[in-house]
Every structure is written in C-alpha cells, then in structure tokens.
Amino acid sequence: ETGVTQTPRHLVMGMTNKKSLKCEQHLGHNAMYWYKQSAKKPLELMFVYSLEERVENNSVPSRFSPECPNSSHLFLHLHTLQPEDSALYLCASSHPNPGQGNEQFFGPGTRLTVL
Amino acid sequence: QKEVEQNSGPLSVPEGAIASLNCTYSDRGSQSFFWYRQYSGKSPELIMSIYSNGDKEDGRFTAQLNKASQYVSLLIRDSQPSDSATYLCAVTRSGYQKVTFGIGTKLQVIP
C-alpha cells in the first residue's frame, strides 16, 4: 500500500455514460496527478494539481474533467468517452521540494473500458 | 526525439545474473531521476531516486547517473524471477511537478 487509493478499480462504460474516478491520498502531499497508461505508450500526464490549483493540463480532451476539492482528494469526471480512451488511469501524489526530487507515489489505478 | 528513451525489451537474463537497464533523456535541465518497477496489471512502484552524478546503491539495486552524457541506468544484482517486471525511467527538474516517463523496459529473469 502506497497511501494512495483509487476507486473503482475496474470500470466498463458506454460512450454515452457519465462516471467519475476517485483518488484519495493519506500521505500529506500537496500535489496530485492523473496519468493515462495505454499499451506500448509511456505514461501520459493528464492533469496536475498543486495546493488544489490546476497547474498543468496536457491538452486533454474536454470529455475528461478533473476536480480537486482539497489536497487529499482528486476526481476525474468522464463523459461521452470514446473507445480509444480505454486505458489504465493512474492517480499519484507527491510533495515537490526544490533541491530534492518529486517522488511520486501511485495508486493502484482504474482499468477503464469504453464500449 | 523522445524526451526519455528506453529500450522496451524484453531483456532476458538468467537467475543470479546482473540485469542492466538503461535510459537517456533530452532535457539538460533535468536534476531528479527515478526508477519505477511495474508488475503486470499493477501500478508503478518507486524503487530508486538519484540526484547526483555517480552511483547510488540500495540492496541489490544500483542506480548510476551521468548528467554530462544524459544517461541513467539501473543495475540489479543477483536477479531473481520476482524481479521480472517493467522498469520505468522518469526524470524531472528539481521541485517541478511534471515528471516525464520513458516507455519502460520489460525484464524477464529466467529461472
């Protein structure tokens, strides 16, 4: 256990559905991330929140909508997804520190299948 | 040019041998380097961090960094079948939120 939890662990949804992924970190970190991991591709950074403010948005389609109500919780709201959005969605948290690293700790991920 | 390059493998080594995993990066401003291990169907797990040129050892793992050559490597001594996984190299600038990952090298340790 890394101290980062994600729910649900598996999700199957149709293209017209709306669903949300949830992430919670118990590490006292101040930054949280959403990544997408597809087969044979590097981890793709989607969103970064630092102190509950979005600081990075990597040209992600608007059908993905993040929400960070506080430093411990992060959501990814999904609507009208496409089959190519099927992937493993990973949440991570860290405490970036100048002069030190940005060691990120990952949750177990949500395996998303879009039919 | 990819920002972080790794050979996707698979890299096959016999049990007990040394596995050598390599990574190059393009951003000369990178100052923090990480190795993650990812078992099939699981999420990445941080196993090593290195920030200075040279070697850093932790048990059977040694990370090596050469900033002049923009090269970082991970050596696994006395490889075990349980080390079979994909190893992700990641780099970032110091204190910067964005971390860039390589595609990962799949390691197979043959009993």
Side-chain angles (χ1 to χ4, degrees), chain B residues 5-109:
Chain B
E5 291 214 43
Q6 294 182 260
N7 188 323
S8 60
L11 172 67
S12 295
V13 300
E15 184 175 354
I18 296 176
S20 178
L21 305 164
N22 304 316
C23 171
T24 58
Y25 58 94
S26 60
D27 182 2
R28 285 198 169 273
S30 299
Q31 294 178 286
S32 304
F33 306 86
F34 310 98
W35 284 99
Y36 287 82
R37 178 177 61 199
Q38 186 173 22
Y39 291 113
S40 179
K42 301 294 186 182
S43 61
E45 171 194 10
L46 180 66
I47 56 171
M48 288 286 282
S49 306
I50 186 166
Y51 310 109
S52 305
N53 278 328
D55 295 359
K56 179 181 177 183
E57 187 174 318
D58 184 0
R60 296 186 295 113
F61 298 98
T62 299
Q64 299 175 317
L65 175 61
N66 183 326
K67 290 183 181 179
S69 300
Q70 296 175 246
Y71 176 90
V72 59
S73 66
L74 179 70
L75 301 179
I76 306 175
R77 289 182 300 281
D78 188 23
S79 296
Q80 301 296 309
S82 58
D83 295 325
S84 298
T86 297
Y87 290 80
L88 307 177
C89 173
V91 306
T92 187
R93 296 188 170 208
S94 185
Y96 191 49
Q97 288 96 349
K98 182 178 179 180
V99 176
T100 303
F101 287 81
I103 196 168
T105 298
K106 184 173 183 178
L107 173 67
Q108 294 177 339
V109 180

Side-chain angles (χ1 to χ4, degrees), chain A residues 53-112:
Chain A
E53 274 194 53
R54 191 190 309 181
V55 296
E56 186 93 22
N57 178 345
N58 266 3
S59 302
V60 178
S62 59
R63 56 186 184 268
F64 295 92
S65 175
E67 179 189 0
C68 187
N70 56 61
S71 60
S72 299
H73 294 86
L74 184 65
F75 295 89
L76 187 62
H77 304 299
L78 316 171
H79 64 98
T80 59
L81 294 190
Q82 304 299 309
E84 61 264 29
D85 297 322
S86 299
L88 181 67
Y89 288 84
L90 292 160
C91 174
S93 71
S94 72
H95 196 95
N97 201 333
Q100 299 182 22
N102 182 10
E103 297 178 344
Q104 297 188 0
F105 294 86
F106 287 85
T110 296
R111 174 67 63 185
L112 174 66

